[in-house]
Amino acid sequence: MTFSILAPAAPRLSRDSSPVSEASFDSDGDIDVIRPTKRSKTAHKAIITPGEVVTEDVQWMKGHGTTATPGSSAILATVAGTLLRTNKLLSIQPLRARYTPEIGDLVVGRIVSVETKRWKVDLSAPLLAHLPLSAINLPGGILRKRTATDELAIRTFFSEGDLLVAEVQSVYQDGAASLHTRSLRYGKLRNGVFMRVSGTGGGGGVVRSRRQVWTVHTANGGGEVDIVLGVNGYIWICKHSRGELVASTEEAKKMNEITRMEEAVSESMYSNRNDEIRPQTRREIARLGGCVRALVENGVRVDEEMVMAAYTESLEGGVDMDGVREEEDEYMGGEKGQKVAAAALESVRG
């Protein structure tokens, strides 16, 4: 009897038979080995809970939201969120987190304290933001160096509790933001309501979009309403008014007295008095606020497209047979809020 010796053949690895899916292979050809619940990287949108083992492979490095166990190569999650991979770095994006300032962000803040030459502003961030006295427009649009007189009158511009919309100009090394209001779009907020929802960080909340400030032409005689979506999760909904600023600017342009719009800043922009708001406008402001709240409660992102879709859906079926508004239909919570959010999502996707 003769025996034939065959050369050993390398075992064939099938991606389909492997518990790791096809999308688990990165550009380097490495395979992710997520051990805890046999979850592959294709399920990076799945929620990871605190204490769950992310991986035990030594090739991965721990990032934000993870920690290493002593005497072991296992990487554990410290927060609840979704898994993110950057090359060989594993991090977890939390479902709910404080706002992290970035340069150019439009934010809504509240003055917390008044200090020498600056204000401290709450942005729902880990650290309070700074608004220098040199970073605001002076009444009358005067362009000059700030003097001791301006420092003494610092509370006439902003005081504790005032709300303002500003832009992040820079970020310090410790993560604190420096703001500025050197534009007619920014400044003190009046004639509206304030809402606080979750900001950028996952789940339903305000997201960075093309426009954070826009004007809504409301129904039912409500007139025009302005919406300011702060990236930090602070929202301001107010009555739209051209105000004395725009009127004085147009008059000055006709008289050729000024050449720059910033020079038309008047003292009215730092006024603490609200204008008279009609009941119809108040009703529509409350409706828009209810739409935003319904989106957040149902885990839907908050941006211009979703807010307008939810507002349009909320107007459906709000009038009875006699053409009279039903008061109970103004409530946007519970089942109606779920229907409005679902209808808004469907209309946007469709």
Side-chain angles (χ1 to χ4, degrees), residues 112-275:
V112 175
S113 62
V114 181
E115 300 179 357
T116 305
K117 298 183 180 181
R118 67 177 182 179
W119 295 267
K120 287 290 188 70
V121 186
D122 175 28
L123 299 181
S124 187
L127 298 175
L128 296 177
H130 302 163
L131 176 62
L133 179 62
S134 58
I136 68 170
N137 284 323
L138 294 177
I142 304 175
L143 300 178
R144 58 173 173 78
K145 185 178 179 180
R146 276 44 171 181
T147 62
T149 304
D150 298 325
E151 296 180 16
L152 293 175
I154 189 172
R155 292 183 183 273
T156 61
F157 306 129
F158 297 104
S159 59
E160 291 86 347
D162 287 344
L163 291 169
L164 75 156
V165 55
E167 181 180 339
V168 178
Q169 185 176 22
S170 61
V171 179
Y172 298 104
Q173 291 184 352
D174 59 354
S178 177
L179 310 178
H180 82 90
T181 60
R182 298 193 199 93
S183 173
L184 298 181
R185 298 180 301 169
Y186 309 140
K188 183 177 293 187
L189 298 175
R190 300 183 302 138
N191 304 323
V193 295
F194 171 77
M195 296 182 61
R196 178 176 181 175
V197 301
S198 58
T200 56
V206 180
V207 298
R208 292 182 176 90
S209 58
R210 183 173 57 89
R211 282 205 307 177
Q212 304 289 140
V213 182
W214 74 95
T215 301
V216 180
H217 299 275
T218 60
N220 307 315
E224 296 181 340
V225 175
D226 292 336
I227 300 180
V228 182
L229 298 181
V231 180
N232 56 332
Y234 289 174
I235 299 176
W236 182 256
I237 306 176
C238 64
K239 166 190 173 183
H240 175 74
S241 60
R242 295 171 59 87
E244 300 176 0
L245 174 61
V246 178
S248 61
T249 303
E250 294 179 351
E251 293 177 0
K253 282 184 177 181
K254 293 179 181 179
M255 299 175 62
N256 295 324
E257 294 179 355
I258 62 174
T259 58
R260 297 183 58 186
M261 185 164 296
E262 286 80 0
E263 297 180 9
V265 178
S266 63
E267 297 181 358
S268 61
M269 68 178 302
Y270 294 114
S271 174
N272 291 323
R273 291 187 178 183
N274 291 326
D275 300 333

